[in-house]
Amino acid sequence: MCAKPAAPKEPESIFLPIEELDLDLMNPRLAGREDTKDQESLIRILWTEGALDELALSMTQNGYFQEEPLFCVIENGRHVVVEGNRRLATVKLLHDEKLRKAVQATDLPSLTKKQFITLGLDELPVIVYPDRESLWPYVGFRHVNGPMTWDSWSKAQYIAQVKNNFGIELSAIEESIGDKNHTVPRLYRGLMVLNQACEQAGYDLEDRKKAHFSFSHLYTGLPYAGFERHLGLGPNEGYKPNPVKKAYLPNLRELMIWLFGSRKENRAPVIQSQNPDLKRLDSVLKDKKALDALRSGLGLKVSHEISLGDNVRFREAVARIKYDLQQAKGLVLHGFNGEKELIQTAGEISELANSLLEEMRSRPRGSK
């Protein structure tokens, strides 16, 4: 097991008033959102989505744990907290009644100034680093492959920041954070393809059919041969910004709609559950007839059956018929009460079975 990267030991922790500390507008968990305009908007999002009430309850009972300093850098003359935004947002809410009302966090407890100081919330322990680059291995391990992992979307955003802004190779990021499953390159590739879909292929991520964004559908499917063929990508391609060639951008857009849907076009995603739908879509993308069927609106189930070919479909149909007949035979004793229509249906089944058998026997082996 890879050892946990240690947080840099220098410089040492200092205490700063909360008024001098800003939340991070580049927070990977909030990347790509249009509502992250200022400090108040960040706090509003974190309050809505970050379960800050749990932190607030702990802080009002125990104070701030000084063993967990905030990590920050100085940008534009301000201390910007890179690690610890949820904690800082919680303290700011506990400190400012007007801010609580503005973000509708009105159920948080009110603290007197004396209580606030007694709990150690007026000044917080902070470690200041020279730049973001010096922090990435520790933050990366903690949130990408460590004990406080982010969701896959946030992980991908952070990996992209490290790769594109600091010039750190994906292999070096993997090694630094102890990634043994090659999650880092898969996440990065997925984000690069997604960004290009939104910036060049005309797909609007906010137009997706479901509120929940299943980013894993994309980065999990991309290594599949059918996905790569549909986007014109080789197995070792796509690990850079704008990886899809211009000629394949229409394919990229339709793939995004199959994965995530479109409200404007009233199209639901064909992927309802990653397993088995992602593999089914991959099979469809590798077969022209099946792909044409999906494009025509026949749906993933029918298109997937076409992709299997007549021989496979015939074998599966015969096996399924045999299984169903065995099930029905076992239920005759307690499930059949002499209904004439069921006797008629069984007779028709018998005739169909005999006809099928005769046709199979009449065809030479290996004939098409």
Side-chain angles (χ1 to χ4, degrees), residues 102-114:
V103 303
Q104 298 182 346
T106 53
D107 56 342
L108 287 181
S110 296
L111 298 176
T112 65
K113 183 176 181 180
K114 182 178 180 180

Side-chain angles (χ1 to χ4, degrees), residues 298-343:
L298 287 182
L300 182 60
K301 185 176 185 296
V302 174
S303 302
H304 176 250
E305 289 177 353
I306 294 174
S307 74
L308 297 176
D310 291 345
N311 182 264
V312 173
R313 294 171 64 195
F314 179 75
R315 286 176 176 272
E316 290 184 350
V318 171
R320 187 164 55 248
I321 291 168
K322 179 181 177 182
Y323 173 81
D324 288 342
L325 286 173
Q326 289 172 333
Q327 292 293 103
K329 189 174 185 301
L331 295 170
V332 169
L333 182 60
H334 299 291
F336 175 61
N337 297 312
E339 295 90 342
K340 290 183 179 180
E341 68 273 15
L342 290 180
I343 294 176

Side-chain angles (χ1 to χ4, degrees), residues 22-39 41-43 45-47 49-50 52 70-71 73 75 80-89 132 139 143 148-151 153-161 165 191:
D22 288 347
L23 286 89
D24 186 11
L25 287 168
M26 294 176 61
N27 189 325
R29 302 177 74 182
L30 308 175
R33 299 183 59 144
E34 296 180 356
D35 50 354
T36 55
K37 299 174 293 185
D38 50 34
Q39 293 294 299
S41 66
L42 290 181
I43 293 176
I45 295 170
L46 289 171
W47 167 251
E49 304 175 9
L52 301 190
L70 305 173
F71 293 175
V73 294
E75 294 178 344
V80 178
V81 173
V82 177
E83 168 65 15
N85 278 255
R86 289 177 66 245
R87 283 171 280 155
L88 177 59
R132 292 174 183 265
V139 176
H143 294 299
M148 302 291 291
T149 55
W150 288 325
D151 59 79
W153 170 251
S154 302
K155 291 178 183 179
Q157 295 288 345
Y158 189 75
I159 292 165
Q161 286 183 11
N165 296 348
L191 183 60

Side-chain angles (χ1 to χ4, degrees), residues 194 197-198 201-215 217-218 251-273 278 281 294:
L194 176 64
C198 297
Y203 183 75
D204 182 1
L205 190 58
E206 296 302 315
D207 181 47
R208 65 185 184 273
K209 194 71 172 178
K210 298 181 180 179
H212 175 71
F213 176 45
S214 300
F215 178 55
H217 292 350
L218 178 59
N251 287 8
L252 175 57
R253 185 180 186 278
E254 68 179 355
L255 177 63
M256 298 297 292
I257 292 178
W258 288 332
L259 291 176
F260 308 117
S262 169
R263 292 198 308 273
K264 291 180 182 177
E265 299 181 22
N266 195 27
R267 295 175 62 182
V270 302
I271 304 298
Q272 297 301 316
S273 120
L278 212 56
L281 179 57
L294 185 61

